[in-house]
Amino acid sequence: MKRRLAVTGAALLLLTATASVPLSLPVPPLTVRLAYEIEQRQIVYSWGGGHGEDPGPSMGTCRGYRGQIKPCPAATTLGLDCSGFARWVYAMAHGEDVLGPGNTDDQVRKMRRVSAARPGDLVFFGQIGKRAVKTHHVGIYLGGGKMMNAPYTGSIVRIDDIRDRADLAGFYRY
């Protein structure tokens, strides 16, 4: 009997607490929810990681690596680079590999630029012109000037302020 009362009391408390939550609270887009889920897994950065046949963590590559850690750890590290992270989140959110295995330049070409960013948009860094695209980083915009990203060798997927980088190229939406 005591257990039934405790369970009933807990249920009533939960109903009372949730009844006072405004129904107008926004639900984050699926891309943002997935990005936070991946962040909780503490997946490490790996140069070229996430560019296997299927989206998701993969062994990286040392081809083109110019990172600070020597010798290059990518070929022996299961993880994601920035574009591999964006690819995996977007593949899960859209149910198919919409960004493909390419780099940030390839990804930005599959998106459309937007003037007002919304959570879940991709934020690119580098230079994007009418004739040339030369990007080097991408993150998933969370709102409030923050992005989820895989920033560099030796780091994990994490939240950073987009103002910490000097070469914001723009926000893009699929």
Side-chain angles (χ1 to χ4, degrees):
M1 183 68 164
K2 280 185 181 181
R3 179 162 166 70
R4 181 183 291 169
L5 285 175
V7 170
T8 304
L12 285 174
L13 180 63
L14 181 61
L15 285 172
T16 304
T18 57
S20 64
V21 174
L23 295 177
S24 62
L25 284 179
V27 174
L30 182 57
T31 50
V32 171
R33 295 192 315 262
L34 291 166
Y36 275 105
E37 183 180 308
I38 290 170
E39 180 208 21
Q40 295 301 310
R41 297 182 190 182
Q42 302 235 320
I43 295 174
V44 299
Y45 180 98
S46 181
W47 176 263
H51 297 284
E53 188 174 322
D54 294 319
S58 68
M59 297 306 255
T61 180
C62 289
R63 189 179 60 222
Y65 176 78
R66 291 184 295 274
Q68 299 293 324
I69 299 174
K70 305 290 183 197
C72 168
T76 58
T77 304
L78 182 70
L80 301 164
D81 66 8
C82 63
S83 55
F85 170 64
R87 176 188 182 202
W88 190 26
V89 170
Y90 267 56
M92 289 189 293
H94 293 278
E96 62 181 300
D97 189 8
V98 295
L99 296 180
N103 62 22
T104 56
D105 290 348
D106 300 319
Q107 289 178 344
V108 78
R109 289 181 180 108
K110 295 177 181 177
M111 313 285 285
R112 64 182 168 85
R113 187 180 185 117
V114 294
S115 56
R118 293 192 313 222
D121 289 342
L122 294 184
V123 55
F124 286 90
F125 297 86
Q127 296 178 350
I128 302 172
K130 290 184 180 185
R131 292 192 175 104
V133 174
K134 189 165 176 60
T135 57
H136 60 84
H137 191 65
V138 63
I140 296 173
Y141 186 64
L142 303 174
K146 303 288 185 190
M147 69 176 169
M148 185 82 63
N149 68 131
Y152 54 82
T153 302
S155 68
I156 58 171
V157 171
R158 68 183 196 195
I159 298 171
D160 284 321
D161 194 310
I162 62 172
R163 294 168 287 225
D164 290 345
R165 292 181 170 263
D167 57 349
L168 174 67
F171 297 95
Y172 287 75
R173 191 170 296 148
Y174 181 75

